[in-house]
């Protein structure tokens, strides 16, 4: 009977530990998704941010009015746009959010600000141009934009 007790108790502790670790990992994944969701809501909750995103999305039409609207868009709102994707970058870089989910939600935001030949020049126009975009401050977001290219 003691032999059975000596075998079952450690097995229960091991299985309990594995189950606790599994639950902890599920909670952490949920927490990371909540962080990502709050960043996503920052975009969805701001109508002017959505307007800017829409203009960037329409830029491929090469309509001169759309291009001018992007170039003259309020720099404060452009910086807010950049700040949000910078936050996504920092979270993705330190594993507080998962990169595949971040890419799914924000790939176009990064693409328009750092990669698109139709938008980059116009987006950065009143922020200091390509010189500002290439500044070391934006390097992390610029680098992760290469990983977040739309598929």
């Amino acid at each position: 009977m003691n032999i059975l007790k000596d075998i079952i108790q450690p097995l229960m502790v091991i299985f309990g530990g594995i189950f606790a670790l599994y639950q902890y990992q599920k909670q952490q994944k949920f927490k990371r998704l909540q962080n990502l969701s709050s960043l996503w809501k920052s975009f969805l909750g701001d109508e002017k941010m959505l307007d800017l995103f829409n203009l960037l999305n329409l830029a491929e039409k090469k309509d001169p009015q759309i291009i001018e609207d992007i170039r003259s868009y309020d720099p404060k709102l452009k910086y807010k746009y950049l700040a949000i994707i910078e936050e996504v970058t920092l979270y993705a870089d330190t594993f507080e959010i998962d990169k595949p989910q971040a890419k799914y939600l924000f790939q176009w935001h990064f693409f328009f600000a750092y990669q698109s030949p139709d938008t980059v020049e116009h987006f950065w126009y009143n922020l200091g141009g390509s010189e500002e975009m290439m500044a070391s401050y934006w390097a992390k977001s610029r680098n992760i934009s290469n990983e977040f290219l739309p598929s």
Side-chain angles (χ1 to χ4, degrees):
M1 192 66 141
N2 280 340
I3 294 175
L4 217 51
K5 181 180 171 187
D6 290 341
I7 293 172
I8 292 177
Q9 275 183 330
L11 285 176
M12 289 182 68
V13 168
I14 290 170
F15 287 127
I18 291 170
F19 182 73
L21 182 61
Y22 170 75
Q23 288 296 328
Y24 176 77
Q25 288 176 336
K26 279 180 60 175
Q27 285 178 335
Q28 292 305 307
K29 187 170 185 86
F30 181 70
K31 186 177 178 181
R32 289 190 303 269
L33 287 173
Q34 282 181 315
N35 289 341
L36 187 59
S37 176
S38 71
L39 292 171
W40 182 246
K41 288 176 185 175
S42 297
F43 272 106
L44 293 179
D46 188 332
E47 195 170 315
K48 291 192 182 280
M49 199 69 68
L50 291 174
D51 289 343
L52 174 58
F53 184 81
N54 188 47
L55 284 172
L56 293 168
N57 193 37
L58 295 172
E60 66 186 17
K61 293 182 179 183
K62 305 208 186 320
D63 178 326
Q65 185 58 52
I66 292 171
I67 300 303
E68 183 52 37
D69 289 348
I70 294 170
R71 284 176 162 243
S72 62
Y73 211 83
D74 184 1
K76 288 180 184 178
L77 287 166
K78 287 182 179 180
Y79 279 123
K80 184 177 179 182
Y81 179 101
L82 289 168
I84 292 171
I85 62 174
E86 185 76 6
E87 198 171 352
V88 172
T89 300
L90 292 174
Y91 284 157
D93 198 42
T94 59
F95 306 107
E96 291 181 30
I97 57 176
D98 297 321
K99 282 186 180 179
Q101 287 81 9
K103 178 184 177 185
Y104 176 77
L105 289 176
F106 291 99
Q107 62 189 330
W108 292 103
H109 301 81
F110 281 91
F111 181 72
F112 291 147
Y114 293 105
Q115 300 292 330
S116 171
D118 296 323
T119 60
V120 170
E121 176 187 342
H122 310 303
F123 180 85
W124 289 91
Y125 179 77
N126 60 350
L127 300 178
S130 61
E131 187 176 303
E132 175 65 19
M133 185 187 84
M134 296 308 290
S136 61
Y137 179 81
W138 305 110
K140 280 187 182 244
S141 290
R142 237 186 6 262
N143 291 338
I144 207 166
S145 72
N146 291 318
E147 295 178 45
F148 282 16
L149 290 174
S151 20

